[in-house]
CSV table of all heavy atoms in Angstrom, one decimal:
chain,number,residue,atom,x,y,z
A,43,ASP,N,20.2,44.9,38.1
A,43,ASP,CA,19.8,46.2,37.5
A,43,ASP,C,20.5,47.4,38.0
A,43,ASP,O,20.4,48.5,37.4
A,43,ASP,CB,18.3,46.3,37.6
A,43,ASP,CG,17.8,46.4,39.0
A,43,ASP,OD1,18.5,46.0,39.9
A,43,ASP,OD2,16.6,46.8,39.2
A,44,SER,N,21.2,47.3,39.1
A,44,SER,CA,21.9,48.4,39.6
A,44,SER,C,23.4,48.6,39.2
A,44,SER,O,24.0,49.6,39.5
A,44,SER,CB,21.8,48.4,41.2
A,44,SER,OG,22.6,47.3,41.6
A,45,HIS,N,23.9,47.6,38.5
A,45,HIS,CA,25.3,47.7,38.1
A,45,HIS,C,25.6,49.0,37.3
A,45,HIS,O,26.6,49.6,37.6
A,45,HIS,CB,25.7,46.5,37.3
A,45,HIS,CG,25.8,45.2,38.1
A,45,HIS,ND1,26.1,45.1,39.4
A,45,HIS,CD2,25.5,43.9,37.7
A,45,HIS,CE1,26.1,43.8,39.8
A,45,HIS,NE2,25.7,43.1,38.7
A,46,SER,N,24.7,49.3,36.4
A,46,SER,CA,24.9,50.5,35.6
A,46,SER,C,24.8,51.8,36.5
A,46,SER,O,25.5,52.8,36.1
A,46,SER,CB,24.0,50.6,34.5
A,46,SER,OG,22.6,50.6,34.9
A,47,LYS,N,24.1,51.7,37.6
A,47,LYS,CA,24.0,52.9,38.4
A,47,LYS,C,25.1,53.1,39.4
A,47,LYS,O,25.5,54.2,39.7
A,47,LYS,CB,22.7,52.8,39.3
A,47,LYS,CG,21.4,52.8,38.5
A,47,LYS,CD,20.2,52.6,39.4
A,47,LYS,CE,19.0,52.1,38.6
A,47,LYS,NZ,18.0,51.6,39.5
A,48,PHE,N,25.7,52.0,39.8
A,48,PHE,CA,26.7,52.0,40.9
A,48,PHE,C,28.1,51.7,40.5
A,48,PHE,O,29.0,51.9,41.3
A,48,PHE,CB,26.2,51.2,42.1
A,48,PHE,CG,24.9,51.6,42.7
A,48,PHE,CD1,23.8,50.8,42.6
A,48,PHE,CD2,24.9,52.8,43.4
A,48,PHE,CE1,22.6,51.3,43.2
A,48,PHE,CE2,23.7,53.2,44.0
A,48,PHE,CZ,22.6,52.5,43.8
A,49,LEU,N,28.3,51.1,39.4
A,49,LEU,CA,29.7,50.6,39.1
A,49,LEU,C,30.7,51.7,39.1
A,49,LEU,O,31.8,51.6,39.7
A,49,LEU,CB,29.7,49.9,37.7
A,49,LEU,CG,31.0,49.3,37.3
A,49,LEU,CD1,31.5,48.3,38.4
A,49,LEU,CD2,30.9,48.6,36.0
A,50,HIS,N,30.4,52.9,38.5
A,50,HIS,CA,31.4,54.0,38.6
A,50,HIS,C,31.7,54.4,40.0
A,50,HIS,O,32.8,54.8,40.4
A,50,HIS,CB,31.0,55.1,37.7
A,50,HIS,CG,29.8,55.9,38.2
A,50,HIS,ND1,28.5,55.3,38.1
A,50,HIS,CD2,29.7,57.0,38.8
A,50,HIS,CE1,27.6,56.2,38.7
A,50,HIS,NE2,28.3,57.2,39.1
A,51,GLN,N,30.6,54.4,40.9
A,51,GLN,CA,30.8,54.8,42.3
A,51,GLN,C,31.7,53.9,43.0
A,51,GLN,O,32.6,54.3,43.8
A,51,GLN,CB,29.4,55.0,42.9
A,51,GLN,CG,28.6,56.1,42.4
A,51,GLN,CD,27.2,56.1,42.9
A,51,GLN,OE1,26.8,55.2,43.6
A,51,GLN,NE2,26.5,57.2,42.6
A,52,ILE,N,31.4,52.5,42.9
A,52,ILE,CA,32.2,51.6,43.7
A,52,ILE,C,33.6,51.5,43.1
A,52,ILE,O,34.6,51.3,43.8
A,52,ILE,CB,31.6,50.2,43.8
A,52,ILE,CG1,31.4,49.5,42.5
A,52,ILE,CG2,30.3,50.3,44.5
A,52,ILE,CD1,30.9,48.1,42.6
A,53,PHE,N,33.8,51.8,41.8
A,53,PHE,CA,35.1,51.9,41.2
A,53,PHE,C,35.9,53.0,41.8
A,53,PHE,O,37.0,52.8,42.3
A,53,PHE,CB,35.0,52.1,39.7
A,53,PHE,CG,36.2,52.5,39.0
A,53,PHE,CD1,37.2,51.5,38.7
A,53,PHE,CD2,36.5,53.8,38.6
A,53,PHE,CE1,38.4,51.9,38.0
A,53,PHE,CE2,37.6,54.2,38.0
A,53,PHE,CZ,38.6,53.2,37.7
A,54,GLU,N,35.3,54.2,41.9
A,54,GLU,CA,36.0,55.3,42.5
A,54,GLU,C,36.2,55.1,44.0
A,54,GLU,O,37.3,55.5,44.5
A,54,GLU,CB,35.1,56.6,42.3
A,54,GLU,CG,35.1,57.1,40.9
A,54,GLU,CD,34.2,58.2,40.6
A,54,GLU,OE1,33.7,58.8,41.6
A,54,GLU,OE2,33.9,58.5,39.5
A,55,GLU,N,35.3,54.5,44.7
A,55,GLU,CA,35.5,54.3,46.2
A,55,GLU,C,36.6,53.3,46.4
A,55,GLU,O,37.4,53.5,47.3
A,55,GLU,CB,34.2,53.8,46.8
A,55,GLU,CG,34.3,53.6,48.3
A,55,GLU,CD,33.0,53.3,49.0
A,55,GLU,OE1,32.0,53.6,48.5
A,55,GLU,OE2,33.1,52.8,50.1
A,56,ALA,N,36.7,52.3,45.6
A,56,ALA,CA,37.7,51.3,45.7
A,56,ALA,C,39.1,51.9,45.5
A,56,ALA,O,40.0,51.6,46.3
A,56,ALA,CB,37.5,50.1,44.7
A,57,LEU,N,39.2,52.7,44.5
A,57,LEU,CA,40.5,53.4,44.3
A,57,LEU,C,40.9,54.3,45.4
A,57,LEU,O,42.0,54.4,45.9
A,57,LEU,CB,40.5,54.2,43.0
A,57,LEU,CG,40.4,53.4,41.7
A,57,LEU,CD1,40.3,54.4,40.5
A,57,LEU,CD2,41.6,52.5,41.5
A,58,THR,N,39.9,55.1,45.9
A,58,THR,CA,40.1,56.0,47.1
A,58,THR,C,40.6,55.2,48.3
A,58,THR,O,41.6,55.6,48.9
A,58,THR,CB,38.8,56.8,47.4
A,58,THR,OG1,38.5,57.5,46.2
A,58,THR,CG2,39.0,57.7,48.6
A,59,LYS,N,39.9,54.1,48.6
A,59,LYS,CA,40.2,53.3,49.8
A,59,LYS,C,41.6,52.7,49.7
A,59,LYS,O,42.3,52.5,50.7
A,59,LYS,CB,39.2,52.3,50.1
A,59,LYS,CG,37.8,52.8,50.4
A,59,LYS,CD,37.6,53.1,51.8
A,59,LYS,CE,36.2,53.5,52.0
A,59,LYS,NZ,35.8,53.6,53.3
A,60,ALA,N,42.0,52.3,48.5
A,60,ALA,CA,43.3,51.7,48.2
A,60,ALA,C,44.4,52.7,48.0
A,60,ALA,O,45.5,52.4,47.8
A,60,ALA,CB,43.2,50.8,47.0
A,61,GLU,N,44.0,54.0,48.0
A,61,GLU,CA,44.9,55.1,47.8
A,61,GLU,C,45.6,55.0,46.5
A,61,GLU,O,46.9,55.1,46.4
A,61,GLU,CB,45.9,55.2,49.0
A,61,GLU,CG,45.2,55.5,50.3
A,61,GLU,CD,46.2,55.5,51.5
A,61,GLU,OE1,47.4,55.3,51.3
A,61,GLU,OE2,45.7,55.7,52.6
A,62,VAL,N,44.9,54.7,45.5
A,62,VAL,CA,45.4,54.6,44.1
A,62,VAL,C,44.7,55.6,43.2
A,62,VAL,O,43.5,55.8,43.3
A,62,VAL,CB,45.1,53.2,43.6
A,62,VAL,CG1,45.4,53.0,42.1
A,62,VAL,CG2,45.9,52.1,44.4
A,63,LYS,N,45.5,56.3,42.4
A,63,LYS,CA,44.9,57.2,41.4
A,63,LYS,C,44.6,56.3,40.1
A,63,LYS,O,45.4,55.4,39.8
A,63,LYS,CB,45.9,58.3,41.1
A,63,LYS,CG,46.0,59.2,42.2
A,63,LYS,CD,47.0,60.3,41.9
A,63,LYS,CE,47.2,61.2,43.1
A,63,LYS,NZ,48.4,62.0,43.1
A,64,VAL,N,43.6,56.7,39.3
A,64,VAL,CA,43.3,56.0,38.1
A,64,VAL,C,44.4,55.9,37.2
A,64,VAL,O,44.6,54.9,36.5
A,64,VAL,CB,42.0,56.5,37.5
A,64,VAL,CG1,42.2,57.9,36.9
A,64,VAL,CG2,41.4,55.6,36.5
A,65,GLU,N,45.3,56.9,37.1
A,65,GLU,CA,46.4,56.9,36.2
A,65,GLU,C,47.5,55.9,36.6
A,65,GLU,O,48.4,55.6,35.8
A,65,GLU,CB,47.1,58.3,36.2
A,65,GLU,CG,46.2,59.4,35.8
A,65,GLU,CD,45.3,60.0,37.0
A,65,GLU,OE1,45.7,59.9,38.2
A,65,GLU,OE2,44.2,60.5,36.7
A,66,GLU,N,47.4,55.4,37.9
A,66,GLU,CA,48.4,54.4,38.3
A,66,GLU,C,48.1,53.0,37.9
A,66,GLU,O,48.9,52.1,38.1
A,66,GLU,CB,48.5,54.4,39.9
A,66,GLU,CG,49.0,55.7,40.4
A,66,GLU,CD,49.1,55.7,41.9
A,66,GLU,OE1,50.0,55.2,42.5
A,66,GLU,OE2,48.1,56.3,42.5
A,67,LEU,N,46.8,52.8,37.4
A,67,LEU,CA,46.4,51.4,37.0
A,67,LEU,C,47.3,50.9,35.9
A,67,LEU,O,47.5,51.6,34.9
A,67,LEU,CB,45.0,51.4,36.7
A,67,LEU,CG,44.0,51.6,37.8
A,67,LEU,CD1,42.5,51.7,37.2
A,67,LEU,CD2,44.1,50.6,38.9
A,68,THR,N,47.7,49.7,36.0
A,68,THR,CA,48.5,49.0,34.9
A,68,THR,C,47.8,47.9,34.2
A,68,THR,O,48.2,47.5,33.1
A,68,THR,CB,49.9,48.5,35.5
A,68,THR,OG1,49.6,47.5,36.5
A,68,THR,CG2,50.7,49.6,36.0
A,69,ASN,N,46.7,47.4,34.8
A,69,ASN,CA,46.0,46.3,34.3
A,69,ASN,C,44.5,46.3,34.8
A,69,ASN,O,44.3,46.7,35.9
A,69,ASN,CB,46.6,44.9,34.6
A,69,ASN,CG,48.0,44.8,34.0
A,69,ASN,OD1,48.9,45.2,34.6
A,69,ASN,ND2,48.0,44.1,32.9
A,70,ILE,N,43.6,45.8,34.0
A,70,ILE,CA,42.2,45.7,34.4
A,70,ILE,C,41.9,44.2,34.1
A,70,ILE,O,42.1,43.7,33.0
A,70,ILE,CB,41.3,46.6,33.5
A,70,ILE,CG1,41.7,48.1,33.7
A,70,ILE,CG2,39.9,46.4,33.9
A,70,ILE,CD1,41.0,49.0,32.7
A,71,PHE,N,41.3,43.6,35.1
A,71,PHE,CA,40.7,42.2,34.9
A,71,PHE,C,39.2,42.3,35.0
A,71,PHE,O,38.7,43.0,35.9
A,71,PHE,CB,41.3,41.3,36.0
A,71,PHE,CG,42.8,41.2,35.9
A,71,PHE,CD1,43.7,42.0,36.6
A,71,PHE,CD2,43.3,40.2,35.1
A,71,PHE,CE1,45.0,41.9,36.4
A,71,PHE,CE2,44.7,40.0,34.9
A,71,PHE,CZ,45.6,40.9,35.6
A,72,ILE,N,38.6,41.6,34.1
A,72,ILE,CA,37.1,41.6,34.1
A,72,ILE,C,36.6,40.2,34.2
A,72,ILE,O,37.1,39.3,33.5
A,72,ILE,CB,36.5,42.3,32.8
A,72,ILE,CG1,35.0,42.3,32.7
A,72,ILE,CG2,37.1,41.7,31.5
A,72,ILE,CD1,34.3,43.1,33.7
A,73,GLY,N,35.6,40.0,35.1
A,73,GLY,CA,35.0,38.7,35.2
A,73,GLY,C,34.1,38.4,33.9
A,73,GLY,O,33.2,39.2,33.6
A,74,GLU,N,34.4,37.4,33.2
A,74,GLU,CA,33.8,37.1,31.9
A,74,GLU,C,32.6,36.1,32.0
A,74,GLU,O,32.1,35.7,31.0
A,74,GLU,CB,34.8,36.6,30.9
A,74,GLU,CG,35.3,35.2,31.2
A,74,GLU,CD,36.3,34.8,30.1
A,74,GLU,OE1,36.4,35.4,29.0
A,74,GLU,OE2,37.0,33.8,30.3
A,75,GLY,N,32.2,35.8,33.2
A,75,GLY,CA,31.1,34.9,33.4
A,75,GLY,C,31.6,33.5,33.7
A,75,GLY,O,32.8,33.3,33.9
A,76,PRO,N,30.7,32.6,33.8
A,76,PRO,CA,29.3,32.7,33.4
A,76,PRO,C,28.5,33.6,34.3
A,76,PRO,O,28.9,33.8,35.4
A,76,PRO,CB,28.8,31.2,33.5
A,76,PRO,CG,29.7,30.6,34.6
A,76,PRO,CD,31.0,31.3,34.4
A,77,GLY,N,27.4,34.1,33.8
A,77,GLY,CA,26.5,34.9,34.6
A,77,GLY,C,25.5,35.7,33.8
A,77,GLY,O,25.3,35.4,32.6
Side-chain angles (χ1 to χ4, degrees):
D43 59 345
S44 67
H45 292 325
S46 62
K47 297 176 197 167
F48 297 112
L49 184 55
H50 69 284
Q51 292 171 351
I52 63 174
F53 168 79
E54 290 174 11
E55 184 171 340
L57 290 177
T58 300
K59 298 271 184 172
E61 298 177 2
V62 170
K63 294 179 182 163
V64 71
E65 302 84 26
E66 296 178 82
L67 294 174
T68 58
N69 296 82
I70 302 167
F71 295 91
I72 178 71
E74 66 179 349

